[in-house]
Amino acid sequence: MLRRASMLLARQPILAARARPFSTDLPAAPSADATFTEAWTKVIPNMDPPKTPLSFMQPRPPTPSSIPSKLTVNFVLPYASELATKEVDMVIVPATTGQMGVLPGHVATIAELKPGVLSVHEGSEVTKYFVSSGFVFIHANSFADIIAVEAVPLDRLDVNLVQKGLAEFTSKLSSATTDLEKAEAQIGIDVHSALNSALTG
């Protein structure tokens, strides 16, 4: 038993050397699914094989050897694309762990978004959005993908309506009797509080 353990421990450096590479270390061009295509042509030779998900994906740009001067941002909602491959200086996102600034060359990260202000900095121009929730995916090649459930430019929000909504949800919470009513009212308070602080703070 001890011999087997020592043999397994001696093999660990070999296994570590065979560790799976990071996705950014893989070649930028996707490889064709040759096995599937070959099997398809054997079964149905007179029809072109269907496209696999890999054929719809664009190749990921390689990780640059030096830090680029700009951050490339994709900012999408379920129904629209706010920014598509937009080169900016920096974005600040409202992560659940706190405000997170993302510059070119940022370490690869995935963060959950909370209700708050997302600001896009491009030179001296700053565009601010209020996001309800979502995720940000920061890639090692200075690309950032921001996926939000709902977002609206900050200048399109009415502070009076926000404060009215905050008062309504606060009264709903005090009169709530079930756990569901309390949870719905608390979510409304959290979102409206974040909206209010974004507009007044």
Side-chain angles (χ1 to χ4, degrees):
M1 185 110 174
L2 290 174
R3 284 186 195 154
R4 282 185 58 101
S6 62
M7 286 173 31
L8 288 173
L9 288 173
R11 285 178 37 195
Q12 277 185 345
I14 297 168
L15 293 174
R18 283 192 226 156
R20 185 175 171 196
F22 290 111
S23 62
T24 52
D25 297 334
L26 298 175
S31 57
D33 195 350
T35 309
F36 173 77
T37 306
E38 185 181 325
W40 179 274
T41 51
K42 284 180 183 175
V43 177
I44 310 173
N46 58 346
M47 186 185 289
D48 291 334
K51 295 193 179 292
T52 62
L54 192 61
S55 61
F56 294 101
M57 295 172 63
Q58 293 182 354
R60 178 181 293 175
T63 303
S65 56
S66 63
I67 296 174
S69 61
K70 296 285 185 180
L71 175 73
T72 305
V73 176
N74 297 306
F75 178 29
V76 294
L77 308 171
Y79 52 85
S81 175
E82 290 291 326
L83 301 173
T85 59
K86 176 91 170 168
E87 291 192 342
V88 300
D89 296 319
M90 175 178 70
V91 293
I92 299 175
V93 296
T96 53
T97 54
Q99 292 291 101
M100 183 169 73
V102 182
L103 293 164
H106 195 286
V107 66
T109 308
I110 299 174
E112 184 181 0
L113 302 179
K114 65 178 181 181
V117 177
L118 177 140
S119 57
V120 180
H121 298 255
E122 189 178 3
S124 59
E125 186 180 327
V126 179
T127 308
K128 294 186 177 184
Y129 299 87
F130 182 83
V131 294
S132 62
S133 60
F135 287 91
V136 59
F137 300 89
I138 304 162
H139 307 283
N141 54 9
S142 292
F143 273 66
D145 297 320
I146 303 166
I147 295 95
V149 174
E150 188 64 63
V152 63
L154 211 57
D155 56 5
R156 291 176 55 193
L157 296 172
D158 184 352
V159 67
N160 295 323
L161 290 175
V162 169
Q163 290 174 349
K164 182 181 174 185
L166 181 59
E168 286 175 8
F169 279 107
T170 304
S171 67
K172 283 182 182 179
L173 182 63
S174 61
S175 63
T177 55
T178 66
D179 288 342
L180 177 63
E181 289 174 347
K182 289 177 184 175
E184 288 174 345
Q186 187 60 55
I187 291 169
I189 289 172
D190 292 346
V191 172
H192 281 79
S193 297
L195 278 164
N196 191 42
S197 63
L199 292 169
T200 59

